[in-house]
Amino acid sequence: MPYSQIITLEQFIVDQQSLYKDAGGSLSRIFRSLELAAKVVNRDVRKAGLVDILGNHGATNTHGEEQKKLDVIANDVFIAALSKSGEVSIVISEENDEPVFVEGCEEEKYIVAIDPLDGSSNIDVNASIGTIFSIYRRNAANKVASLADCMQKGKHQVAAGYIIYGSSTMLVYTTGLGVNGFTLDDSIQEFCLSHPKIQIPSQGKVFSINEGNYADFPEGVQEYVQYCKAKDKETNRPYGARYIGSLIADFHRNLLKGGIFIYPPTEKTPNGKLRLMYECNPMSFIVEQAGGKSSTGKMRVLDVLPEDLHQRVPLFIGSAEMVDMAVSMLNNAGELVAADAR
Ligand code: P6P
């Protein structure tokens, strides 16, 4: 494509600015900071095998998970970039127990929740990883930002997106006006519009779940897994099983091709493993904007009122008809609890 026809992320955001009521350009400045951080982390991810940034950082995060060096680097880079934007009062991060109140920006109107490097267990084995972000506007009545401003339902997000550091580096986001994907052109270091108006197929042929935990799955989930594996020509079953172990990579494939990703309650994670604020909510906003669905198994993810910054919820997300089928099996089977709690 001749460069004259390329639409960069920067240009796209400016063009959309008036549409998503960002007249002052604040949200655009946040996106510019996210874009810069994404380029820096992309550079570090791409050279991870060459310099001493692989392996563990020797500390654990709020969830007792071993922090990889790249986790810490990505966290520092995104928090610094968002703070420097001058538009963000609070940053919530998977890597920080407490919210980061940005000095000098206590009255700014935006809050950003991030998973700085999702899929970090894949870093050392060169599988796709990524950054997930979720943006809220604060309640204008509160002059100074507080923790209470963070506890908003996912349906109140003003924007959400992710950067996937895969075979290419892509930034996919929504501001509630549909979903668009931008691929990083390394030669000019620009994210260029490559996947306009993404729509997820209503029915897919892929299911993503860690079947290693099958014995723990709630009855309805076991039933749905058996349904996916049963032979039935009319409904293109058995579906293909694809599980990368990186939410971003499994989600991105299903978003483009159709499919369902499930992280249900297990014995080790009775509320599921994925976090509401910076994994489930942003991915749910994106999938709904692309025509898909996202449920905890009991309710729409975007309707969950957060009780804790790092709370986990079960996640059934992807093609609308597949999520409907999975949730109907759960409801018919009764309580959504892991096998050990039955
Ligand atoms: P499991 C990565 O650690 C992550 O948070 C998600 O990206 C991924 O989908 C999930 O955990 C994988 O978890 O228990 O199947 O290894």
Side-chain angles (χ1 to χ4, degrees):
M1 178 194 286
Y3 279 115
S4 59
Q5 290 178 26
I6 276 187
I7 299 175
T8 65
L9 175 62
E10 177 100 18
Q11 186 55 53
F12 190 85
I13 288 170
V14 168
D15 294 348
Q16 283 224 322
Q17 195 167 307
S18 55
L19 298 177
Y20 52 75
K21 299 189 288 298
D22 182 33
S26 300
L27 197 53
S28 301
R29 274 188 287 278
I30 293 175
F31 269 102
R32 265 196 285 282
S33 69
L34 287 167
E35 183 183 7
L36 175 64
K39 290 175 182 174
V40 171
V41 171
N42 177 63
R43 177 201 63 194
D44 292 344
V45 165
R46 297 302 172 198
K47 69 182 184 186
L50 302 172
V51 296
D52 179 31
I53 51 178
L54 282 181
N56 292 337
H57 168 60
T60 57
N61 67 14
T62 186
H63 316 289
E65 294 164 342
E66 191 67 62
Q67 279 189 318
K68 300 275 183 183
K69 286 182 180 172
L70 262 175
D71 277 3
V72 178
I73 293 170
N75 195 44
D76 293 347
V77 167
F78 273 93
I79 290 177
L82 289 165
S83 304
K84 216 160 152 290
S85 74
E87 304 292 348
V88 177
S89 50
I90 301 176
V91 180
I92 300 161
S93 170
E94 178 193 38
E95 300 302 333
N96 295 63
D97 301 13
E98 301 301 325
V100 175
F101 288 85
V102 180
E103 209 173 316
C105 295
E106 293 79 4
E107 298 183 15
E108 294 309 324
K109 61 176 181 249
Y110 287 99
I111 292 170
V112 181
I114 55 169
D115 181 354
L117 210 56
D118 173 69
S120 47
S121 51
N122 288 304
I123 291 175
D124 299 351
V125 295
N126 213 1
S128 295
I129 51 181
T131 302
I132 308 172
F133 61 88
S134 166
I135 305 176
Y136 291 87
R137 198 173 280 118
R138 283 194 319 109
N139 176 346
N142 303 334
K143 186 165 170 33
V144 176
S146 71
L147 183 58
D149 287 310
C150 303
M151 312 311 267
Q152 298 184 48
K153 293 181 179 180
K155 65 183 176 186
H156 297 309
Q157 291 172 94
V158 294
Y162 58 85
I163 300 103
I164 179 168
Y165 312 105
S167 49
S168 63
T169 296
M170 272 191 75
L171 187 148
V172 177
Y173 84 94
T174 184
T175 57
L177 297 170
V179 180
N180 292 283
F182 300 78
T183 299
L184 183 65
D185 179 334
D186 272 325
S187 66
I188 55 172
Q189 276 299 302
E190 287 284 2
F191 281 99
C192 303
L193 183 62
S194 54
H195 296 68
K197 301 191 179 75
I198 298 173
Q199 285 290 296
I200 184 171
S202 59
Q203 175 62 50
K205 294 186 275 191
V206 165
F207 70 107
S208 308
I209 190 170
N210 183 343
E211 282 201 69
N213 299 319
Y214 182 87
D216 275 356
F217 289 164
E219 202 176 321
V221 175
Q222 291 177 338
E223 273 177 37
Y224 183 68
V225 169
Q226 292 309 320
Y227 171 82
C228 291
K229 296 163 87 167
K231 279 189 170 179
D232 180 273
K233 270 207 171 52
E234 252 180 53
T235 52
N236 289 313
R237 287 180 290 141
Y239 298 147
R242 294 285 184 279
Y243 194 75
I244 300 169
S246 174
L247 166 66
I248 261 194
D250 284 313
F251 176 87
H252 185 69
R253 181 203 53 247
N254 293 348
L255 180 72
L256 298 184
K257 305 279 188 193
I260 185 170
F261 174 94
I262 300 174
Y263 208 104
T266 67
E267 186 177 349
K268 261 180 25 181
T269 57
N271 293 313
K273 177 181 182 183
L274 301 172
R275 288 74 159 191
L276 176 64
M277 295 297 288
Y278 37 77
E279 290 173 322
C280 300
N281 271 338
M283 295 319 225
S284 299
F285 187 18
I286 292 167
V287 86
E288 287 197 4
Q289 281 289 308
K293 283 194 176 180
S294 181
S295 171
T296 66
K298 292 178 183 163
M299 65 189 289
R300 181 181 176 231
V301 169
L302 293 182
D303 288 335
V304 176
L305 179 64
E307 290 158 10
D308 175 89
L309 282 184
H310 300 289
Q311 82 181 68
R312 304 169 194 264
V313 293
L315 185 64
F316 300 77
I317 189 168
S319 294
E321 291 172 27
M322 299 180 87
V323 173
D324 285 345
M325 176 63 80
V327 171
S328 70
M329 288 190 177
L330 296 175
N331 294 336
N332 295 338
E335 189 57 20
L336 183 63
V337 289
D340 71 301
R342 283 205 281 266

